[in-house]
Amino acid sequence: MSEQRVDVVVFDIGGVLLDWSPDYLYGELIPDAAQRQHFLANVATSEWNRQQDAGRSWSEAVAELSSLHPEHAEWIEAYDKGWLKMVNGVFEDTAELVTEIRGLGIPNYALTNFSDEKWEIAKEAFPILAGFDGEVVSGVELTTKPEEKIYRILLDRFDLDPARTFYTDDVQTNVDGARAVGIDAELFTDAATLRQHLRNRGLPLKP
């Protein structure tokens, strides 16, 4: 095993630990694929959702969008009320890795673009999310990845050395944002690759 080069592991959540997609909910609500795609691309867009990740309340978001698209008010409200149905559970192989890291006593944190309201719901539904040594949630901090500020909050709040902090995210721009402040970061593709990244940095994980 090579000399340990990182002391801390930081995880993104959606796409890394949680299997989240609006399609899980809207596949039921809007069976027609073209109609569903149009709704998610032009009405309840990822940019609209991102504003909740940045701190806008869901009640305000739903009211505003419903006033613009009253014909879709029921579907828009479902994005809020049925949010948990967008989560198809945790990725078990990533969860096993997180559990192993915790068992070794390695500090582990969450850094996530997530609505503060939905984060609390997710932690209750998926207890592994409540087990981090600390968390930085965009909806609480009112700033989102890949803005520099949110990475600085992580480092400053938990007194982390960026060079000895490893971060993984399934979005390349978020990885780039972490690297820009000196954090050792890699794009998440799957748990097996992540495990190897961490072993390469000297963490005593199982092969």
Side-chain angles (χ1 to χ4, degrees), residues 48-49 51-58 60-61 64 115-117:
W48 173 76
N49 181 57
Q51 292 183 58
Q52 285 73 271
D53 288 350
R56 180 172 63 175
S57 73
W58 274 96
E60 178 184 348
E64 179 181 302
S115 154
D116 58 333
E117 298 169 57

Side-chain angles (χ1 to χ4, degrees), residues 55-138:
R56 180 172 63 175
S57 73
W58 274 96
S59 59
E60 178 184 348
V62 169
E64 179 181 302
L65 195 62
S66 296
S67 70
L68 295 173
H69 302 277
E71 73 280 11
H72 295 320
E74 186 175 341
W75 290 346
I76 292 167
E77 184 178 32
Y79 207 114
D80 175 23
K81 303 302 184 185
W83 181 87
L84 200 53
K85 292 183 179 179
M86 297 185 197
V87 184
N88 194 37
V90 300
F91 291 116
E92 292 298 338
D93 48 0
T94 310
E96 288 173 10
L97 180 55
V98 171
T99 300
E100 185 178 346
I101 287 168
R102 291 173 180 171
L104 292 168
I106 299 166
N108 55 100
Y109 298 88
L111 174 62
T112 181
N113 282 353
F114 223 107
S115 154
D116 58 333
E117 298 169 57
K118 302 311 182 193
W119 178 245
E120 294 306 316
I121 291 171
K123 284 200 296 183
E124 185 173 339
F126 306 103
I128 196 167
L129 301 183
F132 289 105
D133 293 304
E135 59 190 46
V136 174
V137 178
S138 63

